[in-house]
Amino acid sequence: MIIGGNKAEVVENIKKNAENGNYNLKTEVHDPNMTAEQKTELALQYARNRGTVGYWLKNRLAMSFLYVFDLFLNRHTRVEGLENLDDIRGGAIVTSNHFNQLDNTVVRETMRRGGQGRMYTVVQETNLAMTGFLGFIMNYVDNIPISKSKKYTSEFFEPTIAQILARGEKILIYPEQEMWFNYRKPRPPKRGAYYYAALNEVPVISCFVEIQDLPEQETEEFYKTRWVMHVLPPIYPDPQKDVRTNSLEMMDQDYRQKIAAYEAAYGKKLTYANEQGDVAGWIAKEA
């Protein structure tokens, strides 16, 4: 599913960032333009609201809708490697490539199919500024906004992460940070997801989503696509090592697993040189 209008500028931004080795930079062009103070206030307001009865009721309503939406959107999604979830019994950090505003639906549906129950998603606080129905969903589904505010991080974000993991639930953190629309290649990760896994002594559930082109056009710019989720072997922290060492080693192993999954899925070596087909479904215009 494609959200938003024309993607030509987005595709060009992806190409430029890949050429320059800027694999974690923003490529979308219509995201909210907010000051640091506005972003912080959004996150703090969410933290204040989250413990109220009103939030709980709206969360139940939003999650009921999302459950049906996940099932519908992923009715043709194939999941491979569910056996890799068999030994996961408690809390875990989930990582996956980030290529669509709705790609968390395939991860959440995968956790359900694998018997892993409830999964939260870490999102940028600017998502909370959306209005209308999408704004309601972003503010009341199982999202945890992240912020550069030290007060918010220390008083709400990190304790909330610890509480959720202690309850045995899952948290999706995108190590690539920014979304690159329909970009097939796994990008070099940042350390945050692995830091929280190591800090809370929980495993990383490593995932990679393959994107397959379909023959039918969805828009003038894109063919329809289908997702194939690959659940890879879980990655555990070593109890004999410190948090920093564990986080770096877990990050490296997860990246290597995602590269191997990409190469197996697409039958070619990973290179960040721009290639035709890097953006799944894109109908390249003749010069």
Side-chain angles (χ1 to χ4, degrees):
M1 179 179 289
I2 295 175
I3 295 178
N6 186 282
K7 296 290 185 184
E9 190 175 350
V10 173
V11 172
E12 281 304 308
N13 288 341
I14 289 173
K15 290 179 180 179
K16 290 176 183 177
N17 283 343
E19 286 175 355
N20 296 325
N22 297 321
Y23 304 116
N24 309 105
L25 293 187
K26 186 181 293 294
T27 60
E28 293 295 306
V29 294
H30 298 300
D31 286 354
N33 186 15
M34 306 180 70
T35 66
E37 291 76 14
Q38 288 172 323
K39 292 178 181 178
T40 296
E41 180 53 31
L42 272 177
L44 292 174
Q45 178 59 41
Y46 175 88
R48 291 190 291 266
N49 187 38
R50 193 169 182 270
T52 65
V53 173
Y55 176 88
W56 185 87
L57 292 172
K58 291 175 181 178
N59 172 258
R60 294 298 87 208
L61 177 61
M63 291 305 299
S64 296
F65 167 81
L66 200 61
Y67 174 77
V68 176
F69 183 72
D70 288 351
L71 290 174
F72 173 78
L73 191 63
N74 290 284
R75 63 196 184 281
H76 300 306
T77 297
R78 189 169 80 248
V79 178
E80 298 182 353
L82 274 179
E83 66 277 4
N84 286 314
L85 298 177
D86 288 349
D87 293 331
I88 303 292
R89 294 289 182 267
I93 297 294
V94 187
T95 67
S96 187
N97 47 323
H98 194 18
F99 58 89
N100 190 287
Q101 295 96 329
L102 301 174
D103 57 25
N104 62 355
T105 68
V106 67
V107 185
R108 192 165 42 246
E109 178 62 18
T110 297
M111 293 303 108
R112 290 194 189 108
R113 293 184 192 183
Q116 294 300 314
R118 194 169 186 175
M119 187 193 81
Y120 293 76
T121 303
V122 171
V123 300
Q124 293 183 3
E125 76 274 76
T126 52
N127 287 297
L128 304 178
M130 292 182 182
T131 58
F133 182 70
L134 281 178
F136 175 81
I137 292 297
M138 290 305 302
N139 278 272
Y140 291 105
V141 297
D142 287 343
N143 286 336
I144 311 168
I146 193 168
S147 171
K148 293 183 179 179
S149 165
K150 292 182 180 179
K151 174 181 174 64
Y152 170 84
T153 299
S154 63
E155 295 183 6
F156 178 79
F157 182 79
E158 292 188 342
T160 300
I161 293 290
Q163 291 165 10
I164 291 170
L165 294 174
R167 294 200 301 261
E169 295 168 339
K170 313 299 179 288
I171 302 174
L172 170 62
I173 302 180
Y174 292 108
E176 297 173 339
Q177 294 188 337
E178 295 291 344
M179 181 195 75
W180 284 18
F181 187 79
N182 271 19
Y183 190 68
R184 284 189 160 108
K185 297 175 178 178
R187 292 176 275 137
K190 295 292 188 176
R191 192 167 68 97
Y194 314 96
Y195 167 77
Y196 287 112
L199 180 67
N200 292 282
E201 300 178 333
V202 298
V204 166
I205 297 175
S206 175
C207 299
F208 176 75
V209 182
E210 172 189 353
I211 315 172
Q212 298 179 342
D213 291 346
L214 297 175
E216 183 181 353
Q217 278 189 229
E218 183 167 0
T219 68
E220 290 185 357
E221 296 180 317
F222 284 91
Y223 288 103
K224 290 184 176 181
T225 59
R226 175 173 53 207
W227 300 338
V228 180
M229 165 61 86
H230 300 274
V231 183
L232 310 174
I235 303 165
Y236 293 87
D238 186 335
Q240 303 303 315
K241 296 179 180 178
D242 61 40
V243 169
R244 176 175 173 78
T245 301
N246 264 322
S247 64
L248 290 170
E249 291 183 355
M250 295 170 84
M251 179 176 69
D252 180 65
Q253 184 177 342
D254 191 29
Y255 184 40
R256 286 187 279 109
Q257 289 186 179
K258 286 175 168 57
I259 290 174
Y262 167 86
E263 293 178 345
Y266 297 108
K268 60 182 179 180
K269 289 289 184 182
L270 175 67
T271 164
Y272 291 108
N274 284 317
E275 301 171 312
Q276 185 175 359
D278 281 353
V279 177
W282 175 246
I283 302 171
K285 304 296 188 296
E286 294 183 5

